[in-house]
Amino acid sequence: MDVAFLITAFTTLFVIIDPIGLMPIFIALTPGMTNAQRRSVAFRACAVAFGIFALFGFLGEAVLEFVGISMPAFRIAGGVLLFMTALDMLFERRNERREDKVDEIADPSVFPIAIPLIAGPGAIASVILLSGEASGVTGTLLVLGVTVAVMLVAVALFLAGGLFERVVGKTGIDVVTRLLGMLLAALSIQFILDGLRDFGFVS
């Protein structure tokens, strides 16, 4: 396993997971939470995402094939779930639900942060491909080691989110939330189109 491959693997996963782009989304999905709560969500989300990457790194497409799910279908499902999250961000449905449960703060760590924002179809497919290219248990462990490095960067950026929120203020966060909701909606449609394209339904 050469250094060039590890650099390529890190670059690939970093670009696809995009921890920098996820930081404002993390803020938008955790409004009103204390620093301790956000820290818990950040670590839990990255731990869950890594567990998913490890599963697919070792078992690859066999996991999907075992339950009869193709990667294109997985992309479409991820797109639909992401679109639902985007609608929540655009129309403040998350805030309405919080008003109904004042003392209960929704936990977005598993969905949608871990899945599908961090461990999305593209990231999972990348881990499968990189593990296949590395070959062997040692190669897969090295790929997962690179994944851990990306997860650590993501946690660091998530934890810096509180400072970012204080700088831009509540109005700024509301604006960013709406804009990111639109971007997430577009990204979700792209996931769906990619899945349909793999099925041959669109060119």
Side-chain angles (χ1 to χ4, degrees):
M1 185 69 58
D2 56 15
V3 176
F5 175 80
L6 294 177
I7 294 175
T8 299
F10 179 87
T11 303
T12 299
L13 291 172
F14 187 86
V15 169
I16 292 177
I17 295 173
D18 189 15
I20 296 175
L22 287 180
M23 181 184 73
I25 298 177
F26 177 83
I27 295 171
L29 292 172
T30 56
M33 288 190 178
T34 65
N35 289 335
Q37 289 171 326
R38 279 184 168 162
R39 196 159 45 243
S40 176
V41 169
F43 280 109
R44 188 159 52 247
C46 289
V48 170
F50 176 75
I52 294 170
F53 289 140
L55 176 66
F56 282 95
F58 283 111
L59 301 181
E61 294 187 21
V63 175
L64 296 180
E65 292 175 357
F66 178 76
V67 293
I69 300 174
S70 65
M71 186 58 71
F74 191 75
R75 286 195 181 93
I76 293 172
V80 171
L81 293 174
L82 199 57
F83 186 75
M84 293 171 62
T85 301
L87 289 180
D88 283 351
M89 293 173 67
L90 284 168
F91 298 107
E92 290 190 311
R93 293 177 183 173
R94 290 175 60 83
N95 290 337
E96 292 175 2
R97 285 198 293 269
R98 286 196 182 91
E99 290 173 0
D100 294 335
K101 299 180 179 180
V102 176
D103 296 327
E104 180 180 344
I105 296 180
D107 183 0
S109 57
V110 176
F111 172 80
I113 298 176
I115 310 168
L117 293 178
I118 298 177
I124 290 174
S126 297
V127 169
I128 292 174
L129 293 173
L130 289 169
S131 298
E133 186 177 341
S135 71
V137 175
T138 302
T140 300
L141 289 174
L142 287 174
V143 171
L144 292 178
V146 172
T147 305
V148 169
V150 177
M151 293 293 96
L152 290 175
V153 173
V155 168
L157 290 172
F158 289 166
L159 296 183
L163 176 62
F164 178 80
E165 186 179 29
R166 286 193 294 273
V167 170
V168 300
K170 184 180 185 303
T171 300
I173 290 296
D174 287 341
V175 172
V176 170
T177 298
R178 297 300 190 283
L179 291 174
L180 290 175
M182 293 177 63
L183 292 176
L184 280 177
L187 178 61
S188 68
I189 296 301
Q190 187 61 56
F191 280 166
I192 293 172
L193 289 176
D194 289 344
L196 293 174
R197 185 176 297 110
D198 290 340
F199 277 124
F201 292 140
V202 295
S203 58

